[in-house]
Every structure is written in C-alpha cells, then in structure tokens.
Amino acid sequence: MTLDAKIPAGPLAEKWSKHKFNLKLVNPANKRKYDVVVVGTGLAGGAAAASLAELGYNVKAFCFQDSPRRAHSIAAQGGINAAKNYQNDGDSVYRLFYDTIKGGDYRSREGNVYRLAEVSVNIIDQCVAQGVPFAREYGGLLDNRSFGGAQVSRTFYARGQTGQQLLLGAYSALNRQIHLGKVKMYTRTEMLDVVMVDGHAKGIVTRNLITGAIETHTGHAVLLATGGYGNVFFLSTNAIGSNVTAAWRAHKRGAFFANPCYTQIHPTCIPVTGDHQSKLTLMSESLRNDGRVWAPKTVETANKLQKGELKANQVKEEDRDYFLERKYPSFGNLVPRDVASRNAKEMVDEHRGVGGSGIAVFLDFADAIHRLGRDAVSAKYGNLFDMYYQITNEDPYTQPMRIYPAVHYTMGGLWVDYNLMTNVPGLYALGECNFSDHGANRLGASALMQGLADGYFVIPYTLGDYLATIGPKPVDGKHPAFEQTKQDVMARINKLLSLKGTKTVVEYHRDLGHIMWEYCGMARTAEGLTKAKGLISALRADFWKNAIVVGENEEVNPALERAGRVADFLELGELMVDDALQRWESCGGHFRLESQTPEGEALRDDEHFAFVAAWEYQGDNQPEKLNKEMLEFEFVHLTQRSYK
C-alpha cells in the first residue's frame, strides 16, 4: 500500500502556512453541528478538546482517571522546548528543526518537524496567557536552560514541575468549556474499541470503570491522545495505568502501527532495586546541566564502592572517569538520551558500575554546589533533590546521585499523515500515541512541545478539512456497526473473566517486561530478537490458558482492566520484536550490535532503511504486513550523527 503523508510542496518555511490556506473550512455556524470524540486528557488531548470546543465543536472527552488533571503529562519535569532565542545564543526555528531531525537520527519527516519547530514559539505565549508560572531571570523575562542534543538554551521550565503546570493550564481551558457545556467529560471511562462505519471511524466503545457498563459513543471524528506504550517493559517511568489499549484496538481496526521498535531509554533514572517495584522514577534531564556523570576508572575501585568499603566522595579526581565529557567534548553531559544511556550501559558492562547492584553510575553536583552555592542549586533543583532523597534516603547535596537508564518514552505509534489523521478516515492520533515527529530518538523537552503543538495549533486546522468533506449529517448511533462492536468488546471481556488459572496478570506482565528489556532494550541482536519472538509467543499462549482474572465485569475491577491491557502488550511486544528484527541498521534508540561504528556509535543504513515501517494488522495470530513510507530529505544532508 502506498502511504501518502500529504506533505505540502514548496519551501520548508512556507509549507504549513500554505497548507492552512488550502484546507477546507467549517463555518462557525456549522461547527456546532459536529460531534468530536477525544480520548485522553493529557497535554495533547486536553489542549485539543479545549481548543475544538472553543471553536464551537461539540466535544466528548474521555479519560480513565478520576480527573483530567491526573493524566500522565503531569509527571514531566524538566521543561518544554521553543525556538524563542530569548538567550540570544543563536537559536532559531531552523536550528530547532535541525537539532530535532539530527536528534531523531534522520528518521523523521522534515515537514512535520519543521512545523513543530515553527509553532513552538506560539506555545509559550499561549501558556503564559493561561498563567503557567514559568521560571524567570533577573530582569523578569522568561528563563531558559539547556537540554540534551542542543548547544543553545531553549527549554522553558517551571522548576521540576513543568508538565504539571502545563497540564493545569490545559485543564483550566478544558474546564471552561465543560462549564459552558461544549465539552461533555467522561471520567473513569476506558475506551476499548473503535466503531467503523463504511470505512470511517464514527465512534468508540467504552467501559465505565465504576459500574462496568459497556457503552457506545458517536462522533464525526475520533481523536486518540492516549500516550505511549513504554509499560510493555513492565518497569518504566510511566504511570502504572499508562497502556497501549486504545491505540492497539485502533490498530486492529485497520490503523497502521509505525516504528514500534523505537523506544527511548532515559539515562537519568533511579536504578532498579528489586522485583518488588512496579515502576521506576525519572530524575529530570535538566539535572545534567549542572550534574557531572562519572564512573570509577578501574574495576577495583568500583568493587570497593559496591561493597561499601569506599564512599563516592572518597574517590580521588584522578580516579574518576567523566566519560561523557571525555568522549563528547562539544556536548559533554548534554548529549542526547540514547547516547548517554548507551554509554552508561557500557560502564556497567565493563564492571565499572556503582551502587550495591553495580548497575548504576554517578550524577555528581559537588562542582555545581562549590561554584554556585547550595542555595542556588536548591533554587534550581530543590524539589528533584527532595524526591531523590525521599526514595533513596541519600542526600544528593552531600553525595552523588546514583542513576541508570530506564524505559521512558516511545517514538513509535499510530501512523499519521501531515494532518495527524491515521490511514483510517476520521481517526486521528495526537501526541505520544502517534509516530510523527521524533524519528528514532526524542530530544528532551520535546514531548510537551509536540503534545501542545498537536492539540493547540495543528488539529484545530486539520480536523476541519475532513469534517467539511463529510458534512454535518448526524452520526447514526443505531447503525449495526455500533452494536456489533459492542458485542465484540463484551465477548473479549467475558473471555478474560473466564480465565481461572493460577498465575496473576501482573506476573505475566513482569515476565514480558524481562524479555523485552533483555532482548529488545538498549542493545539488540538478531539472535536475541529471534529468541524473544519465541518466548513472547509462548508467554502469550500461556496467558490465555493459565492466567487468573478475578471478579465480575459489573463492578470496580482493576484485575480485569489490567488483564485487557497486558493482553494487548503481549501482542504489541511481538510486533516490536518483528520491527526490530527487520531493521538491520542502528538508529537512535534502536541499537543493533551488528551495526555500529568503530567508536561504538549507532551506524545507520540510509540506502536500505530510510523509511517509516507502518505495520498492517492481518488477523489474530497472523504475521503483520510491512508497509513502507520512504523518507525524503530535501533540506537536510544525511550524515553520521556526531556529538563529539
């Protein structure tokens, strides 16, 4: 199948403005005749629901949390990128575009990425108008700090709570529309399927998480803004509730799933301490502005640190290896996340890791405290330092933090065109649940940028083009497709509830996570991926025989919720392995040991793999079909990525 990304022709800087002019419009009097379903109320979904309602559309918004403000966007810490050049340090829209293309290892679309950089400057103004309390410098102007993959300061922040503050801004805009009656909000409601009528998405099927009621909801279009699938690894920095179900059920209704193997491993996380954990904790990338990453130079020193015979502060300067500064002098500790993560793994693989497990490196603030003073460091990072202390009982002001990479973000997701529509007419994907902007690796502080760009500044324009085409005729909720899809959902729920084995769903999830991390994590090989394929297939078969799901549907039933999500993760895990197997190159977060430079960096194969892998569902237990969208680079020269 030929995938049409619908990228406008013409100069890069003019594509979006020309495209907006050529889009069909819905006049204000007609907007109130259209119903739009928005699933997810994080930054992308909340911004989209508020913006579309403000324009006059009738919006039905859904989230499985008890409040829209509990969306996982709230957990983002370090900041949001925008090409404002407030620091006068050489930033521009084009530089942000270029850094993002390069950071994604040349595996994203030029048109989408330039638009993202272009609208980034509007996002900050919008959020300031909403009252988001961004940090300010001494003259009262908004402050900026640096993040990985850039040599300029373009990251706007609100201490270490940027995601929370941005979400509160979107939430206030959403609440305004709820109060005005333009948004009907459905909380504690999980989407379990998409309703297709004559090849178009016309609604969804949901389960009320309080009563268990299975309901259908109509809409002229369906917008998914349901986040990423990092919890396929079980342990990740994602909230435990984060899942792939909405996107995966859309995939099984025909939406292509693109680049599922592109997973981001964040280098700055609190290390794993044991099987008792249900999630991991992220320490903001902003810490790498002032913290210095190091490991002992010798295995002997590392062993003493691991055994507690030596404290980090007792290691002499000449016995420390500041490996990122040594290997990447131009970027130092602010190399992109995939590069920093692989280098931390390299230290551990060389048996130079620290901590009781030996699976960690240090992030040291001694120099910053000496240079700036403890109060200045506390003003910048105090809440993050306190969070680290509460979790580890170690004081980062007096001893280095222990950090190690962990699964954080997923660059893959539902395939969308320039308008953010999937290949299924009327079905859109926004934010992390689409694949479009980050290529094989996301630069820090760009997730918030993409979510708000999609919700505030892209979908309000592009959705109207589709709606104007189909017209405002009401969607018939009594069409047989709605009842049939509802019956399909009920049958799946009954199948899950019939499982009366001996192994809990959480155990299956943990087993899947171990397989994914071992064979499809930071480093991948053909042999390991082939083994993983067999292990996941066997685990999935065992799940449907020996899992136990307690309780009934007509009640609050977390076991049933988890079972459905884990069943979807098991299927997604196989597809991720298939995607990683067919991509014989290394790029960004996808690192094949068979494809690396002599220096151990990711080695791309542009001749054979400069494409988006868009997978097409072919039926249960059938291999998926690979469709390719070839990536064309008109404005950026493909080079081996270097941060030295």
Side-chain angles (χ1 to χ4, degrees):
M1 178 179 178
T2 302
L3 291 171
D4 181 8
K6 299 180 181 175
I7 304 295
L12 193 60
E14 298 176 12
K15 288 181 183 293
W16 178 229
S17 57
K18 286 187 174 180
H19 187 67
K20 286 190 290 185
F21 180 77
N22 291 325
L23 291 170
K24 295 183 180 68
L25 300 177
V26 178
N27 81 59
N30 282 342
K31 287 189 173 77
R32 60 177 174 267
K33 300 176 183 177
Y34 290 95
D35 296 328
V36 181
V37 170
V38 178
V39 185
T41 56
L43 288 182
S51 299
L52 293 171
E54 190 78 43
L55 287 172
Y57 296 107
N58 303 308
V59 177
K60 302 172 184 177
F62 298 81
C63 69
F64 59 70
Q65 298 92 347
D66 59 356
S67 166
R69 63 167 292 182
R70 292 188 184 275
H72 187 57
S73 300
I74 203 170
Q77 298 169 345
I80 175 171
N81 287 332
K84 285 285 198 182
N85 195 32
Y86 282 171
Q87 305 293 315
N88 290 319
D89 57 358
D91 202 9
S92 65
V93 168
Y94 191 87
R95 189 179 293 277
L96 175 52
F97 155 73
Y98 179 79
D99 286 346
T100 305
I101 288 282
K102 177 183 175 182
D105 217 350
Y106 305 94
R107 289 294 175 261
S108 50
R109 293 188 193 130
E110 287 183 329
N112 284 70
V113 175
Y114 191 89
R115 177 177 64 187
L116 177 64
E118 183 181 345
V119 304
S120 71
V121 298
N122 299 326
I123 295 171
I124 303 305
D125 298 337
Q126 168 104 354
C127 294
V128 169
Q130 290 174 335
V132 174
F134 286 122
R136 294 179 182 268
E137 48 89 43
Y138 74 100
L141 298 177
L142 297 185
D143 198 10
N144 292 117
R145 55 190 177 197
S146 299
F147 257 58
Q151 291 179 303
V152 297
S153 295
R154 64 163 66 103
T155 304
F156 295 79
Y157 63 98
R159 297 194 74 190
Q161 306 166 351
T162 313
Q164 178 178 356
Q165 298 303 326
L166 291 172
L167 186 61
L168 287 173
Y171 176 62
S172 65
L174 179 62
N175 264 347
R176 166 180 152 83
Q177 296 304 317
I178 294 172
H179 177 72
L180 292 172
K182 293 302 292 182
V183 173
K184 186 172 183 181
M185 189 69 230
Y186 297 84
T187 58
R188 299 300 300 272
T189 304
E190 183 167 25
M191 175 196 143
L192 294 180
D193 216 334
V194 179
V195 179
M196 302 292 297
V197 178
D198 298 328
H200 290 240
K202 291 298 181 185
I204 60 174
V205 178
T206 62
R207 178 175 181 268
N208 184 306
L209 299 183
I210 303 297
T211 66
I214 308 301
E215 300 167 332
T216 59
H217 303 272
T218 62
H220 290 88
V222 175
L223 279 55
L224 302 184
T226 51
Y229 50 88
N231 277 350
V232 69
F233 289 86
F234 185 68
L235 287 182
S236 80
T237 66
N238 288 255
I240 296 173
S242 298
N243 63 84
V244 76
T245 289
W248 192 251
R249 303 294 170 81
H251 174 56
K252 297 179 81 167
R253 290 293 178 186
F256 293 173
F257 211 103
N259 299 335
C261 78
Y262 287 166
T263 305
Q264 179 165 83
I265 313 293
H266 197 295
T268 320
C269 299
I270 298 178
V272 175
T273 57
D275 282 344
H276 64 282
Q277 287 177 279
S278 58
K279 76 177 297 294
L280 298 175
T281 302
L282 167 72
M283 300 307 296
S284 170
E285 182 171 309
S286 63
L287 294 171
R288 289 198 275 146
N289 272 284
D290 290 302
R292 301 180 69 191
V293 181
W294 65 274
K297 282 188 176 179
T298 66
V299 174
E300 291 74 20
T301 303
N303 286 337
K304 290 181 180 179
L305 287 165
Q306 292 167 21
K307 295 175 183 177
E309 298 172 359
L310 188 68
K311 293 185 177 180
N313 295 340
Q314 296 172 325
V315 179
K316 297 178 181 178
E317 194 71 14
E318 59 266 28
D319 295 329
R320 301 181 179 193
D321 180 10
Y322 295 95
F323 53 92
L324 294 179
E325 298 173 34
R326 169 175 57 83
K327 294 178 69 174
Y328 309 98
S330 293
F331 283 75
N333 294 298
L334 286 173
V335 292
R337 292 172 176 178
D338 60 320
V339 176
S341 294
R342 281 197 296 274
N343 277 272
K345 182 179 185 297
E346 183 180 310
M347 296 300 106
V348 170
D349 290 346
E350 292 176 2
H351 306 291
R352 292 199 278 143
V354 300
S357 66
I359 307 178
V361 295
F362 286 130
L363 181 62
D364 198 332
F365 288 86
D367 283 357
I369 292 172
H370 178 74
R371 183 178 73 254
L372 303 171
R374 175 168 173 151
D375 289 347
V377 172
S378 177
K380 284 185 174 182
Y381 312 115
N383 63 311
L384 297 171
F385 277 40
D386 183 62
M387 184 168 66
Y388 182 86
Y389 175 75
Q390 296 295 333
I391 292 172
T392 66
N393 199 33
E394 298 172 6
D395 181 8
Y397 290 104
T398 59
Q399 57 186 310
M401 290 183 178
R402 291 176 297 105
I403 59 168
Y404 196 65
V407 172
H408 178 56
Y409 188 90
T410 50
M411 286 73 67
L414 294 179
W415 183 91
V416 293
D417 61 19
Y418 193 68
N419 294 326
L420 303 185
M421 189 191 288
T422 69
N423 59 294
V424 173
L427 179 65
Y428 293 78
L430 287 67
E432 191 180 354
C433 83
N434 76 30
F435 87 102
S436 68
D437 290 359
H438 305 297
N441 175 61
R442 177 176 67 80
L443 292 184
S446 286
L448 306 185
M449 177 173 64
Q450 187 210 347
L452 291 180
D454 288 356
Y456 283 141
F457 297 109
V458 178
I459 199 66
Y461 287 96
T462 60
L463 178 63
D465 185 67
Y466 171 73
L467 296 179
T469 301
I470 64 170
K473 181 182 178 181
V475 178
D476 181 11
K478 295 184 179 180
H479 189 283
F482 282 87
E483 182 60 29
Q484 181 58 56
T485 309
K486 182 178 179 180
Q487 293 301 320
D488 293 344
V489 167
M490 294 179 69
R492 182 178 176 85
I493 288 173
N494 290 333
K495 183 178 180 181
L496 289 167
L497 289 171
S498 71
L499 297 175
K500 302 300 179 187
T502 57
K503 189 173 177 180
T504 68
V505 170
V506 174
E507 289 178 280
Y508 281 103
H509 196 179
R510 184 181 288 113
D511 290 347
L512 173 64
H514 285 159
I515 296 169
M516 295 299 296
W517 180 251
E518 182 69 23
Y519 301 110
C520 199
M522 276 193 282
R524 303 158 180 185
T525 65
E527 180 183 5
L529 290 166
T530 302
K531 181 177 181 180
K533 172 83 171 173
L535 290 172
I536 297 171
S537 180
L539 186 67
R540 186 156 65 91
D542 191 69
F543 173 89
W544 290 106
K545 291 179 181 177
N546 297 316
I548 180 170
V549 181
V550 298
E552 304 295 334
N553 177 60
E554 290 74 21
E555 62 180 353
V556 176
N557 191 340
L560 175 60
E561 297 169 32
R562 188 74 174 263
R565 296 167 187 171
V566 172
D568 293 333
F569 277 139
L570 285 163
E571 295 179 0
L572 169 66
E574 279 200 63
L575 184 61
M576 291 174 68
V577 168
D578 287 339
D579 190 39
L581 261 173
Q582 65 85 24
R583 191 171 286 276
W584 274 85
E585 65 168 354
S586 290
C587 56
H590 169 65
F591 193 72
R592 288 288 295 265
L593 290 179
E594 303 96 334
S595 182
Q596 53 183 308
T597 67
E599 295 80 23
E601 305 294 345
L603 181 61
R604 295 194 322 273
D605 180 352
D606 295 329
E607 181 181 355
H608 298 102
F609 293 101
F611 63 78
V612 176
W615 294 90
E616 182 178 356
Y617 180 70
Q618 300 289 294
D620 287 343
N621 301 311
Q622 299 298 315
E624 299 216 1
K625 178 183 177 183
L626 173 61
N627 300 281
K628 299 179 181 180
E629 178 202 333
M630 305 310 296
L631 293 170
E632 298 179 3
F633 294 90
E634 298 179 63
F635 305 96
V636 172
H637 178 62
L638 294 175
T639 62
Q640 174 63 37
R641 195 171 52 144
S642 174
Y643 291 94
K644 295 184 181 297

